[in-house]
Amino acid sequence: MKRLADLHRHARAAALLTLALTAGAASVAPAWAGSPSSPASPSWVSTWQASPQAVWAPGFLFPSNVPSELRDRTVRQVARISLGGARLRIVLSNAYGRQPVAIGGATVAHSRQDRGDGAIVEGSLRAVTFGGRAAATIPPGASLLSDPVALPVPALSRVTVSVFLPEATPVRTFHWDGRQTGWIASGDQTRAPVLRTAGRSSTTARLLLTGVQVETGTAARAVAVIGDSITDGAAASLDKDRRWPDFLAARLAPQGVAVVNAGISGARLLSDGMGANALARLERDVLAQPGVRSVIVALGINDIAWPGTAFAPDARRPTLAELTAGYRQLVERARSRGVRVVGATLPPFEGALPGTPLDDYYGPEKDALRRQLNDWIRHDGAFDAVIDFDAALRDPAHPARMDARFDSGDHLHPGDEGNRAMAQAVDVGALLPQPDAARAASAGAPVRGWR
């Protein structure tokens, strides 16, 4: 009997201990779980991006504008973020590398707005670490996320990121059309307020730096734009941040929403080209980005126009059914991750790229397919919402051609004013998932027709 009583006593003690541990765990869970509903929980959101591409071989139609190898060099780049935050972290990429990339050190600072040579604001320089160490290695095919950096950054401000490469590093990953001047300088100049002019060169391609994330006090949201050269800003003014996603970012930042540009010049929906096809890079460039709640899809013109040109002389043009099947696959994959999908019609392009090796980019049969695809985007209901870039940019008197007010001059890419018109054509209230829109409305925030 005594033994049985002891067993009961031990069982009661164990039960009480289990209850105490369970109650204790429940009471502390919100503090460490990072629940979005907890106002004290930090939230990381992607605020800037340059989608990685594989460096093409010599002899391609366009020069790569990057050296084949870097050694004992500092790469300094400027990025204008969309949403600000209390801390930031950077993402470096070796997505297409065949060997590890050794990082000897990195820094980040506020950019001098009054200079165009990569100069930084005095007192803002911060060291960047990776797992607590200044040096790091990026394996082949991988990316590298830094530790948080205590550098508060305002929305729509510029940051300067400097990375030192001490060892021989073949350049195999880049972003070709950065629309922003960057610099390659000799030695370790990551802490230099201004780079030395001796041994310094410039490039408009992006190297290593592929993302910037910021920490916000509440759960922040981001809109990603997956597109081609029109989204990448091919004809936007250099160093002026006048791509259409830049103008959209200026509209959304006051609402606490970031915009990340996943455009790649020459990108296509179904086929590889100057970058991986959209279905192949959707996970990396959109769905894996922290905070992304919506994606704008602005792709298809290169699928239609490349076949038969110097880009793809022997390629077959996809059918309308093949293009729409690709869109549907992209939509379903995004929705399976809770991401809202907004489709965009393809702008007019009659007479595109005159006087270039691609002056056969346009053709009446290609334009007929574009118009059929636009009709499907507008009326099929495959997307959660639609942005009509075709209607925003076309010449009312000649709908197959871009309005001269918006044309950069090559009849394919909008200029700065065309990019502004594209951003203004976006009903930003339609960008958010419906639960977010409902919450914003209940809180008294404007939802439809944000400006």
Side-chain angles (χ1 to χ4, degrees):
M1 293 295 295
K2 181 178 183 302
R3 180 177 180 82
L4 184 58
D6 288 342
L7 288 173
H8 286 165
R9 187 167 59 253
H10 291 319
R12 284 196 300 273
L16 289 172
L17 178 60
T18 300
L19 286 171
L21 289 173
T22 303
S27 66
V28 301
W32 57 261
S35 170
S37 61
S38 171
S41 300
S43 175
W44 288 95
V45 62
S46 182
T47 190
W48 178 89
Q49 179 172 297
S51 297
Q53 300 167 253
V55 174
W56 41 74
F60 186 68
L61 197 60
F62 300 132
S64 66
N65 297 324
V66 294
S68 59
E69 183 180 273
L70 294 172
R71 181 175 186 174
D72 189 31
R73 292 290 186 272
T74 295
V75 178
R76 175 166 287 189
Q77 297 172 84
V78 174
R80 195 202 77 166
I81 63 171
S82 55
L83 197 63
R87 297 191 296 175
L88 63 79
R89 54 192 185 191
I90 66 171
V91 184
L92 306 179
S93 178
N94 187 23
Y96 299 99
R98 301 174 187 171
Q99 66 185 56
V101 170
I103 305 298
T107 61
V108 64
H110 293 143
S111 303
R112 285 277 298 269
Q113 300 294 318
D114 59 333
R115 299 180 59 154
D117 57 359
I120 63 174
V121 174
E122 184 178 356
S124 70
L125 186 74
R126 302 288 188 274
V128 177
T129 58
F130 307 90
R133 300 174 62 90
T137 300
I138 316 176
S143 60
L144 181 67
L145 178 65
S146 79
D147 299 330
V149 179
L151 180 67
V153 286
L156 307 178
S157 64
R158 291 183 175 186
V159 294
T160 297
V161 178
S162 303
V163 181
F164 177 55
L165 298 171
E167 301 177 6
T169 305
V171 178
R172 298 192 179 276
T173 302
F174 77 150
H175 180 88
W176 179 64
D177 193 7
R179 306 312 300 162
Q180 179 73 48
T181 304
W183 298 269
I184 301 171
S186 58
D188 183 356
Q189 298 190 52
T190 54
R191 295 181 174 273
V194 181
L195 297 174
R196 298 189 297 268
T197 56
R200 187 182 75 187
S201 61
S202 65
T203 179
T204 55
R206 296 283 185 184
L207 296 172
L208 297 168
L209 182 65
T210 190
V212 179
Q213 302 171 5
V214 292
E215 184 185 47
T216 59
T218 58
R221 299 155 295 175
V223 174
V225 186
I226 187 165
D228 47 39
S229 56
I230 294 174
T231 295
D232 210 11
S237 294
L238 186 67
D239 299 331
K240 298 295 185 181
D241 302 309
R242 291 179 178 171
R243 313 161 193 83
W244 77 261
D246 295 329
F247 288 114
L248 181 61
R251 294 182 64 197
L252 290 181
Q255 307 294 336
V257 179
V259 175
V260 287
N261 188 336
I264 289 180
S265 291
R268 290 187 280 181
L269 174 68
L270 301 178
S271 303
D272 294 346
M274 293 167 65
N277 68 80
L279 294 175
R281 67 186 182 94
L282 179 67
E283 176 69 30
R284 180 196 70 192
D285 291 352
V286 174
L287 303 181
Q289 298 302 313
V292 167
R293 303 296 302 277
S294 302
V295 57
I296 300 172
V297 182
L299 284 162
I301 196 65
N302 290 323
D303 295 77
I304 293 171
W306 268 34
T309 69
F311 270 138
D314 301 319
R316 178 184 63 84
R317 188 177 309 121
T319 64
L320 177 64
E322 288 168 335
L323 288 167
T324 58
Y327 276 117
R328 290 187 188 278
Q329 179 65 207
L330 189 151
V331 168
E332 290 306 312
R333 286 176 54 193
R335 283 180 177 160
S336 72
R337 300 283 288 275
V339 173
R340 184 172 175 82
V341 188
V342 179
T345 58
L346 308 184
F349 72 120
E350 182 179 288
L353 307 177
T356 75
L358 294 171
D359 60 3
D360 55 352
Y361 187 90
Y362 173 83
E365 71 288 353
K366 297 177 182 180
D367 193 50
L369 180 55
R370 177 190 70 91
R371 287 185 278 107
Q372 291 172 354
L373 183 58
N374 280 349
D375 186 66
W376 178 85
I377 292 171
R378 291 185 183 107
H379 303 299
D380 183 81
F383 297 97
D384 295 298
V386 171
I387 305 166
D388 202 339
F389 288 150
D390 176 36
L393 295 179
R394 67 192 178 203
D395 183 344
H398 193 155
R401 186 179 289 268
M402 191 179 300
D403 192 311
R405 296 174 299 162
F406 305 137
D407 195 342
S408 67
D410 69 8
H411 311 316
L412 173 64
H413 301 103
D416 291 355
E417 288 309 308
N419 287 327
R420 191 190 305 274
M422 291 176 71
Q424 288 298 320
V426 178
D427 176 1
V428 297
L431 293 181
L432 294 175
Q434 290 307 308
D436 282 354
R439 281 195 294 270
S442 66
V447 178
R448 303 296 293 184
W450 283 346
R451 292 293 182 266

